[in-house]
Structures are given as structure tokens and as C-alpha cells.
Amino acid sequence: MNSKRLLIILLYFFLTEVLSFGCSTSYDLTQPAQKIIERFPNIDKAITVELLKGSLYETPAFIFDSGEPGEVVLIIGGTHGNEPAGYEAALRQLELLEKSPPQKGKVIIIPLANRQSVINYDRRIQVPEGEDIERGNLNRCYPGDENGLPMEKMAFEIEELSKEHKVTIFIDQHEAKYFHLNTPKESNRDQGLGQTIIYYPNETSSWIVMNMIDEINSSISDSDEQFSSVEMPIPHSAAWWAGKHLDIAAFTFETMREMELDKRINFHLSLVRSVLELNNMW
């Protein structure tokens, strides 16, 4: 084994240990998620690209390329470290695609986009004193800045990856505090988005979201748990940037984080599967 490969393996084993230890007071990664992270250096059938390589915030993007023409879907998990269903689902999506790669087009997965916020089980990372704290919130850093603070740099690298691979469908996986259809009056917009698909209002997004809503709600009997569509991602979020600047189908998926974890993970998995199947990729 050459020294570079050994270093990569040690890095990911270290990441796994830190994730487990760092989240111990608030959230422990599930065993399936930890096992997938341990296998990061050996994910089959994918090309791995390291974002912010060599930094404390380095994190992998996995590219599954069918070699056939088709849509290019980018899936992000771990934008917010305190929304675990999003990155738990992204890690499982990675394993599912390893077993059953896309039949058309490409699927790109960034399972732990803000790795340090996942380690700390927090919405954002710290920024220097005097800076706007939202500059540590990856989902408020778009468009990114190649020379900015770490999450601004991460946003920039995600943008460059999206442009390089000509992404046509952009998905960012999140969670919210309350059900959208049963939200306290005092809640702000972010807190009351549980069980929603937030979409950028263009023709492609609108067609996909209608089909996703119909499909997933047909299997949900509890009206609170059914999904609603919400127009326009919040400014400077990932999906907002993708819709506005790339003019592509762009979505933020939001589950309600007070539900049991397995249910939330499965909702994310079902929504992604719906997108891939609608576009004849799976």
C-alpha cells in the first residue's frame, strides 16, 4: 500500500472516530452510516473528488457516471450538521448507487458537505469575531467566494463542480423543527418547513415537484406527515443559487426532525428515488 493511500484511509478512520465522539452528547451517527464512512476510500463504481482538499473542511464528492446521456443529479447532505436525516440519507444513497449505479446520466453525492458542522452537531461553523455568523452557514454562502471564509469557499467549490459536470437537477437535503401544515404562529420560515419540497420556480422544477408530491403522499396516511410544495428556496441557499444561476431544477428537501429517524431517512430516500425514476435513471 503506498503512503498516499494509507494517509487517505487513516484520514477517513479519523473522521469516523471524531464524528462518533463529537456528536456523542447530541447525536450519534447510526451504525450503517459509520460503516459507509469507513469505506469512503474504497467506494466502488464512483470517481472521488475531494472538496477543499488539504484543509480541515475537506470532504468527498462521489461521481457515479453511467457513460450514457441523461440528467446529471447532484445530491447534498450535511449542509447543516444538526439535521441528521439529510446526511444519514445521503450516505445510504451512496451505498445504494454503489450497488445499483445509474443507467443513464450521472449522480453526484456530497454526503458531508459541512463536515465540521456534522462533527459538532451544529447548524454552522464558527467565524472570526465581528463577522456575520451566517458566513459559517453553508446554506447562506451562495454564490460562493474562492477567497472567502471556509463555507464560502465550499460553496464556490460546489458551484464549480456543478458547472464542470453540467448538473441539471440539484437536491439539498435538510430538516426543520415543525410540520409545515401544523406550525406554531410564532415560528419563522425555516422552523416551519418540515415535510416540504422547496423548489425553484421554473418549468422543470415544477414538473418534477408535482410528480414527487403525488407519488410520496400516496403512501402517507397521516396528513401532518404529507409533503407540501413551497415555491422559492431562501436567498443564498444552495438550491436558490442552482435555480437562479444555472436555470436548472433545484430543490431543498425538508423532513420534520421530531419524527423517528428511520422514517425521516426513508422519506429522503423515497424522494431521491422518485427523481431518478422520473428521469429513467434507475
Side-chain angles (χ1 to χ4, degrees):
M1 181 181 295
N2 63 45
S3 58
K4 182 177 179 181
R5 184 168 180 78
L6 177 60
L7 180 61
I8 291 171
I9 291 172
L10 289 173
L11 172 65
Y12 283 113
F13 272 102
F14 172 75
L15 169 60
T16 304
E17 291 302 314
V18 172
L19 281 170
S20 300
F21 178 78
C23 296
S24 61
T25 58
S26 298
Y27 177 75
D28 291 319
L29 278 171
T30 63
Q31 190 173 37
Q34 292 192 44
K35 287 183 176 179
I36 294 164
I37 290 172
E38 288 171 11
R39 294 198 307 103
F40 270 7
N42 300 300
I43 295 296
D44 194 20
K45 301 173 185 174
I47 298 168
T48 305
V49 175
E50 298 294 341
L51 304 178
L52 289 189
K53 188 173 183 179
S55 77
L56 180 66
Y57 308 96
E58 180 176 326
T59 199
F62 299 93
I63 303 166
F64 295 86
D65 188 350
S66 71
E68 299 293 330
E71 303 293 343
V72 182
V73 179
L74 175 65
I75 303 165
I76 301 176
T79 290
H80 291 148
N82 62 342
E83 299 173 12
Y87 48 89
E88 289 273 357
L91 289 163
R92 286 160 176 77
Q93 286 154 357
L94 181 62
E95 189 169 56
L96 289 170
L97 283 161
E98 188 180 23
K99 294 175 181 176
S100 181
Q103 297 174 346
K104 294 181 179 180
K106 297 180 189 177
V107 180
I108 303 170
I109 300 184
I110 307 171
L112 301 170
N114 187 346
R115 183 167 66 85
Q116 288 299 316
S117 79
V118 172
I119 289 170
N120 296 323
Y121 192 62
D122 205 348
R123 181 176 174 84
R124 57 180 71 82
I125 61 169
Q126 290 187 342
V127 296
E129 187 175 353
E131 296 286 356
D132 181 353
I133 63 169
E134 290 294 67
R135 294 181 71 188
N137 177 355
L138 178 56
N139 214 36
R140 299 294 184 272
C141 287
Y142 296 84
D145 182 349
E146 185 178 13
N147 299 307
L149 294 178
M151 287 306 101
E152 294 171 320
K153 292 179 179 179
M154 180 62 74
F156 176 82
E157 294 212 1
I158 291 172
E159 292 165 13
E160 292 300 296
L161 185 72
S162 300
K163 294 172 186 175
E164 178 185 352
H165 290 276
K166 298 180 171 59
V167 168
T168 58
I169 301 174
F170 192 106
I171 297 168
D172 195 11
Q173 299 182 140
H174 286 260
E175 301 206 79
K177 185 174 181 180
Y178 300 116
F179 286 117
H180 180 60
L181 298 179
N182 190 10
T183 301
K185 290 182 180 179
E186 66 274 14
S187 170
N188 63 34
R189 182 181 189 270
D190 286 356
Q191 291 178 323
L193 289 171
Q195 304 305 97
T196 64
I197 302 171
I198 309 170
Y199 68 100
Y200 195 88
N202 55 34
E203 186 175 350
T204 310
S205 295
S206 300
W207 177 80
I208 293 174
V209 76
M210 284 191 298
N211 282 277
M212 277 194 289
I213 291 284
D214 287 346
E215 181 172 336
I216 198 161
N217 283 349
S218 67
S219 63
I220 302 173
S221 57
D222 187 328
S223 59
D224 278 346
E225 295 181 3
Q226 290 190 334
F227 281 81
S228 305
S229 60
V230 174
E231 188 175 295
M232 189 57 74
I234 196 162
H236 303 292
S237 66
W240 171 86
W241 171 83
K244 181 179 176 65
H245 292 273
L246 299 183
D247 192 26
I248 62 173
F251 307 97
T252 305
F253 294 166
E254 298 269 6
T255 51
M256 202 285 277
R257 64 175 181 247
E258 295 304 314
M259 291 188 297
E260 61 186 76
L261 180 62
D262 284 348
K263 180 179 284 189
R264 288 142 52 200
I265 292 170
N266 286 330
F267 280 144
H268 280 290
L269 294 175
S270 295
L271 289 171
V272 168
R273 178 177 291 277
S274 178
V275 171
L276 299 181
E277 290 179 350
L278 277 169
N279 290 283
N280 300 311
M281 298 176 70
W282 244 5

